[in-house]
Amino acid sequence: MTELRIRAAGPEDLDAVLAFWKTAAEGTSISDDRAGTERLVARDPEALILAERDGRLAGTVIAGFDGWRCHLYRLAVHPDQRRNGIGRALLAAAEDRFVALGGRRADAIVLVRNELARQAWAAAGYEAEEQWRRWVKPLV
C-alpha cells in the first residue's frame, strides 16, 4: 500500500465526499447535501478532513470546534480500506486540530445500532456516556 495523505477538504472535493458517504458512512443526515457541506467548508475550511490513498478518497472525519466543545462527525472509512489505520490517522489529525485550537475534550455522535463503529471508537480510547441522550429538532 502507498502512503496515506491526510488533508483538509476544499470546495472541489465536496461532490466526491457526498458520494463517498453513500458507500462508507452509516446512515444519512439532513446536512448530507451540497449546500450543507459548502456551508461547513466556507465557515471552517479545516473542519472536513480527508484521507487519500493512491489518489482516491479512503476516509473522512468532520472535526468541528465551536470555541467551547470539540465535536466529531462523519468518521467514515471505505469498506475496502478498513482495518488499515485510516480511521486512527483521521482521528489523530482531528485531535491534533482540537488541541491546537484549545479544545480539551472531543465527543462523537455514534449510532447505537452501529456495532462496528462502537468498537472502533472504543479502540480509539473513546467511552460511551450512557447517561446522555441526544435531543434533536429539525429546523427545516
Side-chain angles (χ1 to χ4, degrees), residues 98-117:
F98 291 151
V99 169
L101 292 169
R104 298 182 288 175
R105 180 182 73 179
D107 64 44
I109 296 174
V110 182
L111 291 172
V112 172
R113 72 176 189 268
N114 189 339
E115 187 58 35
L116 182 63

Side-chain angles (χ1 to χ4, degrees), residues 13-14 17 21 23 37 42 54 63 69 73 75 116:
D13 297 305
L14 300 183
V17 168
W21 285 342
T23 300
T37 53
D54 296 327
R69 297 223 173 124
Y73 309 92
L75 176 63
L116 182 63

Side-chain angles (χ1 to χ4, degrees), residues 19-56:
F20 177 81
W21 285 342
K22 289 179 181 176
T23 300
E26 177 73 20
T28 58
S29 166
I30 194 170
S31 302
D32 290 352
D33 60 18
R34 180 71 188 205
T37 53
E38 283 176 345
R39 278 190 302 277
L40 170 67
V41 171
R43 183 183 175 283
D44 188 350
E46 303 296 315
L48 177 51
I49 302 170
L50 308 181
E52 297 174 323
R53 182 167 277 148
D54 296 327
R56 296 179 59 200

Side-chain angles (χ1 to χ4, degrees), residues 1 4 53 58-59 75-90 115-124:
M1 267 191 220
L4 189 65
R53 182 167 277 148
L75 176 63
V77 175
H78 192 281
D80 294 343
Q81 295 289 318
R82 291 180 181 156
R83 305 201 56 80
N84 287 312
I86 294 169
R88 186 173 36 252
L90 285 163
E115 187 58 35
L116 182 63
R118 291 171 61 90
Q119 291 173 14
W121 285 103

